[in-house]
Amino acid sequence: PRLIPKNVTATWLEANAPKDSAAADCVIGDAFLHEATIDSTRQAIGHYTKSLEAAEAQENEALKGLALFRLGVAQRRTTDIAGAEATFRRAMALDPNNSRPISVLVEMLIFTGQLDKAADVLRPAIARFPEVGDLKAYEVSLALAQGQAQLAQSLVERLPAQTSNQVVVSQIETPLITGDYQAAIDAWELPGVKAYESNRGFIGNRESSRAWAYALMGARETARSEARACVERLSDLPPVPDLIRGFEMIYLGHCYLFLDEPELAIRAADEAQAMIPESKDRYFGGLVSQQRVLILAKAGKRDAALVELERLFSTVFPISKSQLQIDHRWDFFRDDERFNE
């Protein structure tokens, strides 16, 4: 259904559901949110707000919590950071035993560069929810954003054996950033990581990540082999929403670098940015732009990469200067004083 704009479930609900149905408005909001444009996200916010009002009138605490969480996610996507933070904090106060709004709030604070505030929220949350892997994974993200490579690596080694998107991302990205390349290769054999490997949006990530690790180890031919496997895996796949395909195109762009095809790498990165532009989704679009600038630089477009980096330092979801200082994927650029400055 997500391939169909404003899917059939939402269309039916809009026509048939009671006007005060908190559940129906939440589902309709989800459908608009999946369209992943600023306009559709604003429409989602309207439906989540209606859902929240109906849930409050019905004294339905469960639906109120769900509507608050979804509303915060939508506000974050439109870069209403203050509004999203206030909404997530309302959700946290409503249900102190639910760690999910805490996790997303911490993620947002890290990605917007509010590192001290993120730490203030994260530390007591980890003490309260020691078994929640996502919170510990965001502790890794915080250390990376602060430029603390050794701390990040020690934290990732202690992550719980849970399968969640953020735990998996921490396990596969952290050793690549901190320079433990064998760990970056071996991470793809962890059971939780393997469970994600064939998910759309992750296809190609294994090969592109391992290609980087082998290349940084000096194993150029093995890196090329991984890159060729990435191109093969990402060919002729069934269509998926742009929000998913855009990340697959980024993996493709990385792999073309190791096949000595810089123009194809840039083309793939540009297509990814066209699929998930910051003008439509500032959050995920910003993540794509941060990957694209690395591809631009590695493909030899240093001047363009420097201009884009300067822009990315001042966006709502800025690239972390501290993380750039420790990320070994950028080592090729450190002979350029313009980059170091």
Side-chain angles (χ1 to χ4, degrees), residues 96-166:
N97 294 317
N98 184 0
S99 66
R100 199 174 179 201
I102 303 174
S103 294
V104 181
L105 173 59
V106 168
E107 177 191 48
M108 184 184 74
L109 293 172
I110 292 171
F111 286 174
T112 53
Q114 301 180 74
L115 304 186
D116 290 342
K117 187 182 283 189
D120 289 343
V121 175
L122 184 58
R123 291 192 187 103
I126 289 176
R128 180 175 178 81
F129 302 101
E131 76 290 351
V132 176
D134 277 0
L135 290 172
K136 293 188 176 181
Y138 286 123
E139 189 177 23
V140 177
S141 299
L142 179 61
L144 290 173
Q146 293 170 328
Q148 300 184 59
Q150 290 185 334
L151 175 60
Q153 191 58 46
S154 67
L155 289 170
V156 84
E157 289 168 0
R158 300 199 299 268
L159 283 174
Q162 295 179 6
T163 300
S164 78
N165 184 74
Q166 193 56 39

Side-chain angles (χ1 to χ4, degrees), residues 295-308:
I295 291 169
L296 275 179
K298 184 70 171 172
K301 302 295 184 181
R302 290 193 171 199
D303 291 345
L306 287 166
V307 171
E308 179 68 353

Side-chain angles (χ1 to χ4, degrees), residues 137 140 144 152-153 156-157 159 164-197 201-213 251 327 329:
V140 177
L144 290 173
Q153 191 58 46
V156 84
E157 289 168 0
L159 283 174
S164 78
N165 184 74
Q166 193 56 39
V167 169
V168 167
V169 168
S170 294
Q171 289 171 324
I172 61 181
E173 287 192 354
T174 303
L176 194 58
I177 292 170
T178 59
D180 191 347
Y181 306 128
Q182 191 59 54
I185 293 165
D186 294 343
W188 286 95
E189 304 308 319
L190 295 171
V193 176
K194 288 181 74 68
Y196 267 71
E197 187 180 333
F202 263 82
I203 294 177
N205 196 351
R206 172 191 174 100
E207 292 80 9
S208 66
S209 174
R210 287 163 63 97
W212 267 105
Y251 307 143
D327 191 338
R329 290 173 297 182

Side-chain angles (χ1 to χ4, degrees), residues 5 14 46 74 153 239 288:
E14 281 187 313
Q153 191 58 46
V288 167

Side-chain angles (χ1 to χ4, degrees), residues 249-301:
M249 293 303 295
I250 281 292
Y251 307 143
L252 191 62
H254 283 299
C255 286
Y256 276 131
L257 293 172
F258 301 108
L259 295 175
D260 300 318
E261 296 281 4
E263 295 304 320
L264 289 179
I266 293 170
R267 187 187 305 170
D270 287 346
E271 286 185 28
Q273 192 174 55
M275 291 176 180
I276 317 175
E278 291 174 55
S279 61
K280 291 186 177 180
D281 188 326
R282 294 188 178 94
Y283 179 72
F284 287 113
L287 296 181
V288 167
S289 293
Q290 291 182 17
Q291 291 297 312
R292 177 180 172 273
V293 73
L294 174 57
I295 291 169
L296 275 179
K298 184 70 171 172
K301 302 295 184 181

